[in-house]
């Protein structure tokens, strides 16, 4: 880049670049490395790119964009206590401070003691109590998967008090800025069917994937999106058939690509004996076309996580 261009203009140009070239440009000269590594540049770049997410695995925060990880010690836990039935982890980035946070919820298996909540912030590297004193009901039973949309963590949960007859499914939210918990009621029909949460990438919206019960022939998956963050206001986007034209079965819907295609796991009954009979494919909702992505595996080996490129952890 020409030295005749003012420094301020060069910074504006560099700030619009994606993460991968920025990592390379850090080696151009000391001035560029100092600029890209600065906290102000990283904060501005996050805002410019509207980037919110890293990945968290147990006690490790990992940024795959820059191949850097930070170990986090989980407090008040023995090795045998790492179980989603008693300990729940959530991860995201605060909208205001751009500080990555981990929230940990822990309770006893008997459900006598209320949920205990602790928050870890990367800037301080310490665990503390949440700002808000409100905690989820001790009768809530969480699923292990989380979804982060707009700086809010969402989990599926079952209210065991209301769970008689198969009801009581709801969404529990945690705002990473205010550290307040909230509840999102699902449409009544989702109380009875198996569903999971994910993010609809094109619009960055919360999505519930409804799998109809085994009695339905053929099995289908309904994709519901929460409109404008309004609880219980869900709109059905489209439906995915559980049977494909080549005879394969759709065993799950894992998430979405930026293009809006659904990522599905197909099962080939002919290869069931080998164990590695599942393939990851992209489903285009309007044409209903299915594209094999060339990724094969067993039931437990195929899983999809979404993340957004960021310079955090540099």
């Amino acid at each position: 880049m020409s030295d005749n261009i003012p420094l301020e203009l060069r910074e504006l140009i560099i700030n619009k670049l994606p993460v991968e070239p920025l990592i390379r440009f850090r080696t151009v000269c000391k001035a560029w490395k100092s600029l890209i590594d600065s906290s102000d540049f990283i904060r501005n770049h996050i805002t410019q790119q509207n980037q919110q997410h890293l990945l968290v695995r147990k006690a490790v925060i990992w940024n795959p964009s820059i191949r850097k990880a930070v170990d986090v010690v989980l407090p008040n836990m023995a090795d045998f206590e790492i179980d989603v039935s008693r300990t729940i982890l959530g991860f995201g980035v605060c909208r205001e401070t751009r500080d990555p946070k981990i929230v940990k919820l822990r309770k006893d298996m008997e459900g006598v003691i209320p949920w205990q909540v602790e928050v870890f912030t990367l800037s301080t590297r310490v665990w503390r109590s949440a700002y808000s004193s409100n905690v989820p009901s001790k009768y809530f039973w969480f699923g292990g998967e989380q979804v982060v949309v707009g700086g809010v963590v969402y989990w599926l949960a079952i209210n065991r008090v209301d769970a008689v007859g198969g009801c009581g499914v709801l969404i529990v939210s945690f705002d990473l800025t205010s550290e307040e918990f909230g509840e999102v009621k699902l449409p009544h029909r989702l109380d009875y069917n198996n569903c999971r949460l994910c993010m609809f990438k094109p619009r960055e919206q919360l999505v519930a994937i409804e799998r109809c019960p085994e009695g339905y022939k053929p099995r289908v998956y309904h994709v519901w999106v929460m409109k404008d963050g309004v609880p219980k206001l869900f709109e059905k986007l489209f439906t995915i058939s559980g049977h494909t034209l080549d005879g394969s079965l759709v065993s799950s819907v894992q998430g979405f690509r930026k293009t809006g295609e659904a990522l599905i796991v197909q099962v080939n009954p002919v290869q069931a004996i080998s164990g590695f009979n599942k393939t990851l494919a992209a489903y285009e909702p309007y044409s209903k076309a299915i594209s094999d992505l060339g990724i094969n595996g067993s039931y437990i080996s195929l899983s999809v996580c979404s993340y957004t490129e960021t310079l955090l952890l540099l």
Side-chain angles (χ1 to χ4, degrees), residues 11-18 45 48-49:
E11 183 173 347
L12 287 175
I13 296 172
I14 296 175
N15 192 48
K16 294 182 180 298
L17 296 174
H45 187 266
Q48 172 70 31
Q49 301 293 331

Side-chain angles (χ1 to χ4, degrees), residues 60-167:
V60 177
I61 299 177
W62 174 45
N63 186 341
S65 300
I66 62 173
R67 298 177 177 84
K68 187 173 180 180
V70 174
D71 292 333
V72 179
V73 177
L74 297 176
N76 305 320
M77 288 180 62
D79 291 341
F80 63 85
E81 290 179 325
I82 302 178
D83 185 331
V84 295
S85 63
R86 66 171 71 190
T87 300
I88 300 296
L89 296 178
F91 173 81
V93 178
C94 176
R95 294 187 303 270
E96 292 186 0
T97 64
R98 305 298 180 185
D99 195 5
K101 292 183 178 181
I102 300 175
V103 56
K104 182 172 74 73
L105 296 85
R106 180 175 179 270
K107 71 187 303 297
D108 64 303
M109 291 293 290
E110 290 75 22
V112 177
I113 302 174
W115 287 97
Q116 301 173 21
V117 181
E118 294 176 278
V119 175
F120 174 90
T121 54
L122 188 62
S123 60
T124 63
R125 304 292 179 100
V126 296
W127 289 90
R128 58 168 172 78
S129 300
Y131 295 146
S132 175
S133 60
N134 77 318
V135 296
S137 167
K138 65 181 180 180
Y139 299 108
F140 287 179
W141 196 268
F142 284 79
E145 294 184 346
Q146 67 149 55
V147 177
V148 181
V149 180
V152 179
V153 184
Y154 297 93
W155 300 271
L156 270 180
I158 296 176
N159 187 344
R160 289 179 291 171
V161 173
D162 298 331
V164 178
C167 305

Side-chain angles (χ1 to χ4, degrees), residues 260-281:
E261 295 174 301
L263 293 171
I264 63 174
V265 175
Q266 296 186 103
V267 181
N268 187 335
V270 177
Q271 300 175 353
I273 298 178
S274 67
F276 288 86
N277 63 323
K278 295 184 182 291
T279 60
L280 192 65

